Amino acid sequence: MVETPTVRRTGKAVPPDQLKPKFIIDKLNLWFTDAHILKDVTFNIPEKHVTAIMGPSGCGKSTLLRTLNRMHDLNPDCKITGSVKLRGTEIFNPEVDINDLRKDVGMVFQRPNPFPKSIFENVAYGMRIHGERAHKVVEQRVEEALRDANLWNEVKDKLHQSAFELSGGQQQRLCIARALAIKPDVILLDEPASALDPISTSRLEELIEELEGRYTVVIVTHNLQQAARVSQYTAFLMLGELVEFGITDEIFTAPSDERTENYLRGIFG
Amino acid sequence: MFGLCGLSVVVVFGMLLLIIVFIVIEGAGVISWDFLTEMPRDGMTAGGIMPALVGTLLLAVGAIIFALPLGVLAAIYLNEYSREGKLRRWIRMGINSLAGVPSVVFGLFGLALFVNLLDFGMSLLAGSLTLGLLVLPIIIRATEEALKTIPMSFREASLAMGATRWQTTIKVVLPAALGQILTGVILAIGRAAGETAPILFTAAVFYMRVLRVGLMEQVMALPYHIYALMTEGIHPEEQEAMAYGTALVLMVLVLLINGVAIWMRIRSRKIKKW
């Protein structure tokens, strides 16, 4: 037995292969110029659960996450082979509208990155670019999104102040509200707590747990405790290879691969 | 070495001060409200410089109306759309070379293209277009510098929500860069207001009896008015006093414009928090 962080979640989790998959990732390979970053990554991300991608720095976990909403399209040096299907549709298919894909697959980044606009306008931004003009609708959905992000009570009296006046933790929850406001199916979180203090981090983790069941959440983290606390399923990545994927509790208590066990023991990472 | 550097600063600063003091002493005598608001009279030895003042303002504004959209869009292409590579390097080099072309060459080019080929004649339109070309590199560079200061994370956040590149540029990047772009624009206005050679063959007339304002009308302009006062006419002494007065007005105008730019730069630095 390895010493593991406490797993908060109880109750029996269903093995991932018995769940409806949101993403089907098949033999995904990715290169930046000559560096082979992802190697034959194959697994399914189950729908409406929280899946953590963990692994040591540089293992390709953020790269994998950014593949899911095609953020690598911005990088001309990036080459991808293999397949990623979202609800059965190949996302690399040239006929897929990348803006529609990103509307369905929202993303929150490592560092809070609100726009230099008011709190209200930050959350309304996504609706506006997707053509929502009715002020009533926008107003209502801004409130909804801020409530869902556990931020409403803190900001309801200063919606029209600059988003930069919020604390780092609040800014990050604002970014989640901004992503939720366009009603995505999937939310990708790229080490969302890495720039936050412990209290802000725990509030953020509470929020992530609340998103479970309503959204498919994929969170990248190098923090083992965090992966254990917030996720039901964990993918463990090392040097670009998927070492194992399964129920978080099982990965933490009985890893099937020696490399996972060593990582959990803190031998590397 | 320190002493030599210090001395250089003193010399440079002294020269600047000397120019200002000299112009003020020579020119202040003729300055009055009437000087700013009246037509020139008596073979330009009396009256004011109102049409030249109006003409310079019109030319500067006309140049910006032309150069601002063109310059900002070009900078957006370079910074937001094009990828690092040969083409972009060539375009940048071209823009830098454009900035180095002597202004009298712009004047000749304006004469050939706008006045003759497009048949605008000597006019406010032809002069504004020529001055616009002259300040285009200033606006492109200022806009590019401004766009570069906007963090990538803003663009990523917008694109990740399914915004197009154009939406991202218009709704996130440009508003954030606006203060700095305007600073560049105002510097360009100052530059356009002070130039003589580009309007020499394209727009400027050295005397008009009544003020006529129109796109196809010729205009008087402050810098050209100084030139005319010093080289034409038959009352050199009285005209010289008027020339210094005009120079003072032009100098104050350009300093004011630059002052606004400096003020805006300071302000946008204070507001910026990222």
Side-chain angles (χ1 to χ4, degrees):
Chain A
M1 268 308 302
V2 292
E3 266 185 87
T4 56
T6 40
V7 177
R8 192 190 287 166
R9 211 162 286 287
T10 50
K12 241 186 149 121
V14 183
D17 49 5
Q18 291 175 22
L19 290 167
K20 192 178 168 202
K22 192 78 191 179
F23 284 104
I24 300 174
I25 303 170
D26 191 26
K27 290 211 175 61
L28 180 69
N29 280 278
L30 184 146
W31 293 262
F32 285 134
T33 42
D34 291 329
H36 196 173
I37 308 291
L38 296 176
K39 296 166 190 161
D40 277 337
V41 174
T42 301
F43 71 110
N44 296 348
I45 296 176
E47 190 173 63
K48 294 200 190 321
H49 285 87
V50 179
T51 300
I53 303 175
M54 64 172 196
S57 311
C59 69
K61 52 193 189 299
S62 285
T63 306
L64 174 58
L65 190 77
R66 287 166 153 261
T67 310
L68 302 180
N69 66 344
R70 282 177 56 186
M71 282 310 268
H72 298 305
D73 282 23
L74 294 172
N75 186 343
D77 299 324
C78 176
K79 195 189 135 207
I80 296 174
T81 66
S83 147
V84 175
K85 287 197 175 105
L86 171 63
R87 276 184 257 102
T89 310
E90 177 64 52
I91 66 166
F92 300 123
N93 191 325
E95 277 154 39
V96 168
D97 182 334
I98 189 167
N99 299 320
D100 286 347
L101 170 70
R102 289 175 181 165
K103 194 175 170 231
D104 282 351
V105 184
M107 186 168 212
V108 174
F109 296 80
Q110 265 192 35
R111 303 199 146 267
N113 57 355
F115 299 128
K117 298 175 186 287
S118 71
I119 293 166
F120 184 91
E121 283 304 321
N122 262 279
V123 184
Y125 179 80
M127 286 174 258
R128 296 206 200 284
I129 56 167
H130 291 297
E132 184 55 68
R133 301 219 180 276
H135 191 68
K136 271 259 150 57
V137 179
V138 173
E139 222 168 35
Q140 193 191 332
R141 251 207 266 163
V142 166
E143 178 175 342
E144 230 174 81
L146 285 169
R147 280 188 193 281
D148 286 349
N150 291 343
L151 192 60
W152 175 253
N153 288 330
E154 291 154 69
V155 301
K156 61 173 185 252
D157 300 321
K158 48 178 181 181
L159 288 175
H160 297 286
Q161 286 177 23
S162 164
F164 291 132
E165 283 168 31
L166 300 174
S167 73
Q170 289 173 323
Q171 286 188 14
Q172 197 60 305
R173 277 180 282 141
L174 179 68
C175 291
I176 293 181
R178 184 172 67 180
L180 294 179
I182 46 174
K183 302 198 184 268
D185 282 351
V186 183
I187 296 169
L188 309 176
L189 303 163
D190 188 359
E191 302 204 30
S194 64
L196 303 184
D197 61 76
I199 293 170
S200 303
T201 301
S202 79
R203 297 204 61 175
L204 190 76
E205 288 178 4
E206 275 167 36
L207 169 57
I208 295 168
E209 287 175 53
E210 284 170 29
L211 297 177
E212 184 202 337
R214 298 167 60 196
Y215 299 92
T216 305
V217 178
V218 187
I219 177 172
V220 158
T221 178
H222 58 233
N223 180 331
L224 296 176
Q225 281 83 359
Q226 190 168 68
R229 281 191 300 259
V230 303
S231 71
Q232 291 93 59
Y233 300 98
T234 295
F236 178 60
L237 222 61
M238 239 184 101
L239 301 170
E241 279 177 61
L242 181 73
V243 174
E244 61 182 300
F245 174 65
I247 299 168
T248 301
D249 296 19
E250 288 176 6
I251 295 228
F252 273 85
T253 50
S256 59
D257 194 290
E258 198 187 351
R259 289 171 291 178
T260 316
E261 197 176 323
N262 287 342
Y263 180 68
L264 292 172
R265 272 203 196 125
I267 290 180
F268 38 66
Chain B
M1 213 47 220
F2 177 75
L4 205 59
C5 296
L7 187 69
S8 304
V9 171
V10 171
V11 169
V12 168
F13 201 72
M15 280 299 175
L16 181 68
L17 213 64
L18 212 61
I19 293 174
I20 295 175
V21 168
F22 180 70
I23 301 274
V24 169
I25 289 173
E26 293 282 333
V30 299
I31 298 289
S32 66
W33 184 244
D34 291 347
F35 185 72
L36 296 177
T37 57
E38 280 186 8
M39 300 292 294
R41 277 182 285 110
D42 305 339
M44 295 195 290
T45 58
I49 55 164
M50 184 271 281
L53 192 56
V54 171
T56 285
L57 291 174
L58 286 175
L59 283 168
V61 169
I64 294 304
I65 289 175
F66 166 62
L68 180 65
L70 205 60
V72 169
L73 288 174
I76 287 174
Y77 171 76
L78 285 174
N79 205 62
E80 306 293 319
Y81 284 87
S82 72
R83 286 185 168 156
E84 205 55 66
K86 243 193 191 135
L87 179 69
R88 184 148 95 174
R89 275 204 301 280
W90 278 100
I91 295 175
R92 285 234 170 84
M93 209 172 78
I95 292 165
N96 287 337
S97 313
L98 193 66
V101 172
S103 56
V104 70
V105 176
F106 276 99
L108 276 176
F109 175 75
L111 173 69
L113 180 66
F114 303 125
V115 178
N116 293 334
L117 190 67
L118 296 177
D119 208 17
F120 296 155
M122 296 259 289
S123 62
L124 176 60
L125 180 62
S128 296
L129 290 172
T130 311
L131 281 173
L133 281 183
L134 181 90
V135 298
L136 207 46
I138 303 177
I139 291 182
I140 294 175
R141 276 193 209 156
T143 307
E144 262 211 281
E145 291 305 315
L147 295 178
K148 278 196 189 117
T149 64
I150 307 304
M152 260 331 264
S153 66
F154 289 176
R155 297 182 180 88
E156 276 190 328
S158 173
L159 294 170
M161 268 189 285
T164 61
R165 233 171 238 254
W166 180 244
Q167 285 173 324
T168 301
T169 305
I170 291 298
K171 300 200 173 205
V172 176
V173 181
L174 264 191
L178 199 63
Q180 236 187 313
I181 294 173
L182 286 182
T183 307
V185 167
I186 291 169
L187 287 175
I189 294 179
R191 174 82 195 277
E195 280 291 338
T196 321
I199 54 172
L200 205 55
F201 327 117
T202 57
V205 60
F206 82 94
Y207 179 68
M208 56 185 1
R209 207 164 303 153
V210 282
L211 179 66
R212 283 190 307 267
V213 174
L215 266 185
M216 292 307 178
E217 298 287 347
Q218 291 187 320
V219 291
M220 286 179 69
L222 292 172
Y224 186 63
H225 192 57
I226 298 170
Y227 173 77
L229 285 166
M230 297 302 285
T231 56
E232 317 265 332
I234 45 172
H235 307 283
E237 269 167 42
E238 289 96 328
Q239 285 176 206
E240 200 177 314
M242 299 294 274
Y244 279 112
T246 310
L248 180 56
V249 172
L250 179 59
M251 193 177 70
V252 169
L253 187 70
V254 172
L255 287 180
L256 269 179
I257 291 170
N258 289 358
V260 171
I262 292 166
W263 175 74
M264 284 186 59
R265 185 177 298 169
I266 292 170
R267 224 184 58 131
S268 77
R269 256 189 221 142
K270 265 189 201 151
I271 295 172
K272 201 152 62 181
K273 278 194 187 166
W274 59 84

